[in-house]
Amino acid sequence: DTGVSQDPRHKITKRGQNVTFRCDPISEHNRLYWYRQTLGQGPEFLTYFQNEAQLEKSRLLSDRFSAERPKGSFSTLEIQRTEQGDSAMYLCASSRRGGSSYNEQFFGPGTRLTVL
Amino acid sequence: DQQVKQNSPSLSVQEGRISILNCDYTNSMFDYFLWYKKYPAEGPTFLISISSIKDKNEDGRFTVFLNKSAKHLSLHIVPSQPGDSAVYFCAAIQGAQKLVFGQGTRLTINP
């Protein structure tokens, strides 16, 4: 299977702890996106990378959030000092810049975070 | 501000009939629109898309219509099948960057 993968699929943590999620995009895709989805809402954009460069960050991404894509391949999203309001599904997507289908983003299965 | 809106939280359709899901947007700079399908505990799955220079795109049972003057798009599924039961998200994009999603419509296909 060469789709987008995310790890872990589920994470339960206590308030105040740090958590880190990983995303492995489709191998030939040079763009990688992070979104967050809460119950009853559509996914909301957090940030995106083109290769290793982080090109845009949403105002939803507070100082406690940091994302990296060090070698332009996999990416990590870290949340420091988690709060109950951080509980959500964190989705990663990737796309290929250029070509006829460059607008289409393909999503991974998501990481469901529960902060107790 | 909600730039992409799906005003129907749910829709129930009989198997074999047509399902029509609607979406409205406010930002005239959006240049590409996509529909995603989502099952519980899974990520969204890309379904079909349309460029703003077109008014219709068809792929098998799925057709997307775009009315730019009304800032409205719709997804038609015909015939509807039980496996189509899922949450459907409309999304818009400007300049090949971030997707802006609607709130979703839960489609239920009844046998």
Side-chain angles (χ1 to χ4, degrees), chain A residues 21-63:
Chain A
F21 310 141
R22 176 178 170 129
C23 171
D24 287 87
I26 295 171
S27 59
E28 64 268 24
H29 286 185
N30 54 2
R31 286 194 170 181
L32 186 148
Y33 307 79
W34 286 98
Y35 293 84
R36 180 173 70 184
Q37 185 179 19
T38 53
L39 199 62
Q41 300 297 318
E44 293 177 291
F45 170 78
L46 293 178
T47 188
Y48 91 96
F49 294 83
Q50 181 164 301
N51 300 314
E52 65 275 10
Q54 189 173 18
L55 296 186
E56 186 175 349
K57 290 168 49 173
S58 163
R59 55 186 168 81
L60 293 176
L61 216 65
S62 76
D63 292 345

Side-chain angles (χ1 to χ4, degrees), chain B residues 25 29-33 50-55 66 68:
Chain B
Y25 63 96
M29 298 301 291
F30 288 140
D31 54 13
Y32 205 80
F33 303 88
I50 188 167
S51 165
S52 60
I53 62 173
K54 296 187 176 181
D55 55 18
L66 175 62
K68 283 183 65 178

Side-chain angles (χ1 to χ4, degrees), chain A:
Chain A
D1 183 27
T2 57
V4 178
S5 61
Q6 292 186 247
D7 183 70
R9 294 291 306 274
H10 304 272
K11 179 70 177 178
I12 299 174
T13 191
K14 292 183 179 179
R15 187 163 49 99
Q17 297 294 305
N18 299 344
V19 294
T20 300
F21 310 141
R22 176 178 170 129
C23 171
D24 287 87
I26 295 171
S27 59
E28 64 268 24
H29 286 185
N30 54 2
R31 286 194 170 181
L32 186 148
Y33 307 79
W34 286 98
Y35 293 84
R36 180 173 70 184
Q37 185 179 19
T38 53
L39 199 62
Q41 300 297 318
E44 293 177 291
F45 170 78
L46 293 178
T47 188
Y48 91 96
F49 294 83
Q50 181 164 301
N51 300 314
E52 65 275 10
Q54 189 173 18
L55 296 186
E56 186 175 349
K57 290 168 49 173
S58 163
R59 55 186 168 81
L60 293 176
L61 216 65
S62 76
D63 292 345
R64 297 183 298 105
F65 288 71
S66 63
E68 293 183 345
R69 194 182 184 199
K71 296 182 180 180
S73 56
F74 72 92
S75 175
T76 58
L77 178 67
E78 181 183 15
I79 309 175
Q80 296 182 329
R81 306 181 302 282
T82 52
E83 301 173 356
Q84 288 183 325
D86 297 331
S87 296
M89 173 77 85
Y90 289 84
L91 294 162
C92 176
S94 70
S95 70
R96 180 173 54 87
R97 187 169 185 268
S100 60
S101 61
Y102 69 103
N103 279 306
E104 293 156 11
Q105 296 180 20
F106 296 88
F107 283 81
T111 295
R112 178 161 297 284
L113 173 66
T114 302
V115 182
L116 302 176

Side-chain angles (χ1 to χ4, degrees), chain B residues 20-86:
Chain B
I20 300 176
L21 297 101
N22 293 302
C23 177
D24 297 295
Y25 63 96
T26 57
N27 187 345
S28 58
M29 298 301 291
F30 288 140
D31 54 13
Y32 205 80
F33 303 88
L34 307 91
W35 284 93
Y36 284 84
K37 174 180 178 180
K38 189 178 185 301
Y39 294 117
E42 294 184 10
T45 301
F46 170 72
L47 206 53
I48 191 169
S49 61
I50 188 167
S51 165
S52 60
I53 62 173
K54 296 187 176 181
D55 55 18
K56 178 182 175 181
N57 187 28
E58 192 171 354
D59 184 2
R61 297 186 298 116
F62 303 92
T63 303
V64 56
F65 295 93
L66 175 62
N67 183 334
K68 283 183 65 178
S69 60
K71 293 191 178 69
H72 176 84
L73 65 156
S74 61
L75 174 67
H76 293 211
I77 306 173
V78 57
S80 299
Q81 299 174 354
D84 296 331
S85 294

